[in-house]
Amino acid sequence: MGVGSQDAIKQFQAFIDQVEEPLRTTFQNVHQGFVTATLMRFLKARDWDPYKAQKMLVDCLNWRVQNEIDNILSKPIVPADLYRAVRDSQLIGLSGYSREGLPVFAIGVGLSTFDKASVHYYVQSHIQINEYRERIVLPSASEKQGRPITTCIKVLDMTGLKLSALNQIKLLTIISSIDDLNYPEKTNTYYIVNAPYIFSACWKFQLSSY
């Protein structure tokens, strides 16, 4: 790590030390005891510009407070059958760990339908999955490995992907935006498997939507 990076971290740390409630409390749920690693994620997401990283983090913390993200794990989608339908049509789950101890999440992109509820419920479900990863899975992996585990691996299975998947672009764009702004640099590696020819068309379409 270069001197410039170290200076950026120190400057960022000095700023975050001055953050007051309720942002201070929600920041604890963000860093989970790994403050420096968290600051580095936000700095990396903003090309190591401490001022832009500070704004990004404060915006993230305000988003968490305004949307009660700290309590989202205790607010399941109701009724229970709707919750199960949302999860079953989303096809995402923890499938194991890499040799380095990173959690591996498998996502059935091709067979996910996202057709059992409104966009709101799918966004809520995605945030709940993120928070479960941040507050349960990663801390548990860190304890098991005896070192900070702050990122995961995602395997995107494109089996069954059809042109109709383009109808999901709006939802996926919303979810991607939430991740980029509030959970930056959380995926260490993406693996794409079983990608059909139509995948390239969908990928180009998604890129053009940003």
Side-chain angles (χ1 to χ4, degrees):
M1 185 184 302
V3 175
S5 298
Q6 294 176 350
D7 289 342
I9 293 173
K10 290 180 180 178
Q11 185 175 343
F12 201 178
Q13 179 70 66
F15 168 79
I16 205 65
D17 287 343
Q18 299 176 22
V19 169
E20 300 179 351
E21 297 293 353
L23 302 189
R24 178 176 292 275
T25 295
T26 198
F27 181 56
Q28 293 175 356
N29 275 329
V30 173
H31 67 66
Q32 291 293 319
F34 303 117
V35 178
T36 299
T38 300
L39 299 182
M40 289 177 64
R41 286 196 296 107
F42 280 84
L43 282 165
K44 186 176 180 180
R46 289 296 178 264
D47 296 323
W48 293 90
D49 185 319
Y51 298 104
K52 291 181 179 179
Q54 289 167 18
K55 182 181 185 305
M56 183 184 188
L57 179 55
V58 170
D59 287 346
C60 167
L61 299 181
N62 280 317
W63 170 79
R64 295 182 64 88
V65 171
Q66 293 165 7
N67 293 280
E68 299 183 337
I69 303 302
D70 289 344
N71 301 321
I72 199 167
L73 290 179
S74 61
K75 293 182 178 180
I77 295 172
V78 292
D81 57 347
L82 174 61
Y83 168 82
R84 179 49 53 195
V86 167
R87 287 298 173 88
D88 287 347
S89 64
Q90 197 172 1
L91 298 179
I92 179 173
L94 178 66
S95 63
Y97 295 84
S98 70
R99 292 180 180 178
E100 295 76 22
L102 275 63
V104 178
F105 286 87
I107 306 171
V109 178
L111 297 178
S112 294
T113 57
F114 299 99
D115 63 346
K116 303 302 181 183
S118 65
V119 169
H120 165 76
Y121 287 113
Y122 280 103
V123 170
Q124 179 182 343
S125 175
H126 180 77
I127 295 173
Q128 286 177 323
I129 292 171
N130 280 354
E131 289 297 306
Y132 183 79
R133 176 193 66 200
E134 297 303 295
R135 294 193 242 170
I136 305 297
V137 176
L138 291 175
S140 176
S142 298
E143 183 177 359
K144 182 178 180 179
Q145 294 295 322
R147 60 184 176 84
I149 301 293
T150 60
T151 60
C152 68
I153 293 173
K154 291 183 179 179
V155 178
L156 311 182
D157 188 350
M158 300 297 173
T159 299
L161 186 69
K162 300 177 181 178
L163 189 59
S164 58
L166 291 175
N167 295 329
Q168 303 168 6
I169 292 298
K170 178 180 179 181
L171 170 61
L172 297 179
T173 299
I174 293 172
I175 287 176
S176 178
S177 178
I178 288 173
D179 286 352
D180 289 344
L181 295 175
N182 303 290
Y183 303 94
E185 305 295 333
K186 294 302 298 185
T187 302
N188 180 280
T189 308
Y190 283 97
Y191 291 100
I192 299 173
V193 299
N194 301 321
Y197 174 77
I198 192 62
F199 170 73
S200 60
C202 294
W203 184 255
K204 291 177 181 178
F205 185 91
Q206 183 174 4
L207 289 178
S208 67
S209 67
Y210 285 96

